[in-house]
Amino acid sequence: MVRVYQAAGAALALLWATAAQADLLIKNVTLYDGTGAPAKAGAFVLVKGDKIAQVSSSAIAAKGAKVIDGTGKYLMPGIMESHIHLPGGQTGNVNNPTERKLIIDKPTGLKYLHGYLYVGVTAVYDSGNNNDYIFAMRADEQAGRIQSPRIFAGGGVITVPNGYAAGPAALKVQNWEQAKAELDHRFTYKPDMIKMTLDRQGVMFQPTVPALSQEMFAKVVKYISDNGYRTTVHITAEQDAETTINAGITALAHPVWRSIANDNFIKLAAEKKIPIATTLAYFGNIARVADDPSFFDEPLFKEVVDADELDRGKTVDRKRYIDTGMSPFMKMLAPHAMKNVKRLHDAGAVLTLGTDRTLPPMVHQELELLAQSGISAFDCIKIATLNGAIYVGHEKDFGSVEVGKWADLLLLNADPAADVKNFRTIAAVIKGGKQIDRSKLDLPVNRKKG
Ligand SMILES: [Zn+2]
């Protein structure tokens, strides 16, 4: 079954690569370009090859182009999910690093990637994974061998032995010589952004764990940036977040959420324009699932997520979150994260949509939590698009509907600025100028039809 599917995928990829691609014209659409500019009604967008060639408020003549009539519809950039961990690179209990084992299971990862395309995501950043798995998936995407959002990845996170997230994929710093040698090896993969951790709290209620010293943290960050690579960091506490910003970190993989942040921190993060992945779905979801797992029954979850995985979410995972105290813990702290995110936004910080949940529909839950925190649906458009491109340093390549950028687009039936729920009303997903045939993706919704 799996082999047949892969063979078919390879044949399709070959067709895509060789067939000359017609221009694509989206006409008479209401455009949100992702830059924060107001809506433009009656817009025309011409795509040539994989790039946006023209954006106009009057008709564009495009002979021979494939035309999508955007009348009554809304066009925005495709969504960028800036904090995932693609399944298929490791097995075992996610909350017990010592039980984790490295694997390379591409078909599993592919299901999730198809799910992301289906829900409107055209780019993802993998925030920590098995090097040999995630960089191979990235290579497959870049070569057109798989149908997938654009993949940006960092490989294994940097921590210390027995530290936070010190699983088999992690780079566990013991001393500078060893760290430097492993970093030099990591650079051979050309990572898009390397993730570090600075957290002594262990996983939830486990005892405190060792972490990199401030000196070693700063030394590692400097070595990575001196070599031309970006960094992001897992933090939970304000003091650690400040330490990492002062050490020259590029981005934060979470907002501060163990406490209501100090005004000084909010100001620092905003002034330095550090992109921050919001990950409200991570906190909010673990908090909510104890009382109300009904979101697993929403159409989008059923369309995209395998029934057994939904079932596990409602039973085994839910029980574990309750039994370990994670749900009540998150119930207490999730409001802090929401409040901090809203204050960061108001101060002018660069927020980027990220969930840290790696279930594609969670992207839409993240949008709802951002809205609940008080951020307007209009502002969520930029948070979900251009800011994500900024997160990985590719804002010149994608993230907005502007001439010269990759044509990664989302066509919606209802106005996303009126209500974040409208991000779900997907009429078309376009990546690199090609419309994704959502009915052909390998997902539960399409298998049922079979
Ligand atoms: Zn994460």
Side-chain angles (χ1 to χ4, degrees):
M1 191 62 186
V2 163
R3 282 179 58 191
V4 169
Y5 174 76
Q6 281 176 327
L12 272 175
L14 204 67
L15 271 177
W16 289 332
T18 50
Q21 195 181 330
D23 295 348
L24 175 68
L25 177 69
I26 300 152
K27 65 170 198 181
N28 195 32
V29 75
T30 299
L31 173 67
Y32 291 102
D33 68 11
T35 65
K40 295 179 189 80
F44 289 71
V45 176
L46 178 66
V47 174
K48 281 181 182 286
D50 63 351
K51 299 234 172 68
I52 295 162
Q54 205 180 334
V55 180
S56 174
S57 54
S58 55
I60 297 173
K63 227 178 159 188
K66 185 191 170 212
V67 177
I68 296 178
D69 185 1
T71 305
K73 295 189 165 66
Y74 301 82
L75 187 71
M76 59 175 276
I79 295 170
M80 161 84 182
E81 151 63 286
S82 58
H83 193 144
I84 71 161
H85 301 274
L86 190 68
Q90 302 179 65
T91 53
N93 179 0
V94 71
N95 289 322
N96 189 349
T98 57
E99 284 178 23
R100 303 281 271 169
K101 285 201 171 49
L102 299 182
I103 54 165
I104 295 181
D105 176 5
K106 289 184 175 186
T108 288
L110 201 53
K111 284 195 299 188
Y112 290 83
L113 294 169
H114 280 207
Y116 279 115
L117 284 175
Y118 187 87
V119 305
V121 171
T122 52
V124 297
Y125 169 66
D126 189 288
S127 195
N129 214 318
N130 171 1
N131 294 327
D132 290 323
Y133 168 69
I134 198 65
F135 291 118
M137 293 302 273
R138 186 184 64 172
D140 282 353
E141 186 279 320
Q142 288 175 349
R145 287 189 290 267
I146 55 172
Q147 225 180 353
S148 158
R150 298 180 195 281
I151 298 173
F152 299 91
V157 302
I158 299 181
T159 180
V160 293
N162 303 311
Y164 185 88
L171 192 172
K172 297 171 278 287
V173 175
Q174 295 162 51
N175 57 63
W176 176 243
E177 284 314 305
Q178 166 258 346
K180 186 177 167 298
E182 287 198 40
L183 284 169
D184 288 341
H185 175 67
R186 181 71 59 87
F187 299 155
T188 65
Y189 292 99
K190 302 269 175 261
D192 297 288
M193 178 155 75
I194 298 177
K195 163 115 159 268
M196 307 195 46
T197 70
L198 193 60
D199 197 343
R200 287 163 208 79
Q201 296 288 340
V203 178
M204 300 310 131
F205 296 113
Q206 290 176 9
T208 46
V209 291
L212 286 164
S213 69
Q214 273 195 35
E215 294 69 31
M216 186 61 93
F217 188 93
K219 200 168 177 176
V220 170
V221 169
K222 184 169 185 310
Y223 191 67
I224 294 170
S225 61
D226 284 353
N227 278 274
Y229 296 99
R230 301 168 70 81
T231 46
T232 186
V233 61
H234 163 97
I235 46 87
T236 59
E238 175 175 340
Q239 201 186 349
D240 292 334
E242 242 171 60
T243 299
T244 65
I245 291 174
N246 290 329
I249 205 90
T250 316
L252 297 183
H254 300 286
V256 167
W257 56 277
R258 284 196 186 267
S259 63
I260 301 289
N262 204 293
D263 285 340
N264 287 337
F265 170 74
I266 302 283
K267 219 175 129 208
L268 177 72
E271 271 173 13
K272 296 231 174 184
K273 297 275 173 216
I274 304 287
I276 303 168
T278 51
T279 64
L280 296 177
Y282 181 77
F283 321 117
N285 198 259
I286 293 172
R288 176 178 169 183
V289 76
D291 300 331
D292 174 25
S294 64
F295 58 86
F296 284 120
D297 299 320
E298 288 172 6
L300 206 55
F301 279 84
K302 290 191 163 168
E303 285 161 26
V304 168
V305 187
D306 284 336
D308 59 342
E309 187 170 358
L310 287 180
D311 200 51
R312 201 167 59 235
K314 284 192 275 192
T315 56
V316 180
D317 292 347
R318 176 171 175 269
K319 187 176 182 310
R320 175 166 56 84
Y321 288 139
I322 295 170
D323 290 352
T324 57
M326 273 175 86
S327 284
F329 183 71
M330 287 298 186
K331 213 185 262 187
M332 198 167 69
L333 296 186
H336 295 168
M338 285 176 80
K339 200 162 188 175
N340 290 339
V341 157
K342 172 66 162 62
R343 288 166 67 218
L344 284 162
H345 181 67
D346 291 346
V350 182
L351 298 179
T352 81
L353 183 153
T355 66
D356 197 9
R357 293 262 72 188
T358 322
L359 269 191
M362 291 288 182
V363 166
H364 293 277
Q365 212 168 72
E366 186 74 26
L367 285 163
E368 283 165 28
L369 289 165
L370 286 167
Q372 277 171 36
S373 79
I375 296 173
S376 73
F378 175 77
D379 287 350
C380 285
I381 296 172
K382 189 175 174 189
I383 290 170
T385 60
L386 184 60
N387 288 0
I390 291 171
Y391 192 82
V392 290
H394 281 272
E395 65 272 24
K396 287 197 173 69
D397 298 317
F398 75 105
S400 58
V401 184
E402 293 179 284
V403 172
K405 288 199 175 182
W406 295 333
D408 296 351
L409 305 164
L410 189 52
L411 188 68
L412 302 174
N413 290 315
D415 187 353
D419 185 340
V420 289
K421 284 204 164 65
N422 292 344
F423 281 70
R424 298 183 186 218
T425 64
I426 296 169
V429 180
I430 295 159
K431 183 200 152 201
K434 296 185 189 90
Q435 186 173 344
I436 304 295
D437 187 347
R438 294 169 80 227
S439 73
K440 296 255 165 66
L441 295 169
D442 182 26
L443 296 169
V445 62
N446 296 327
R447 274 179 232 131
K448 262 179 220 149
K449 283 179 204 156

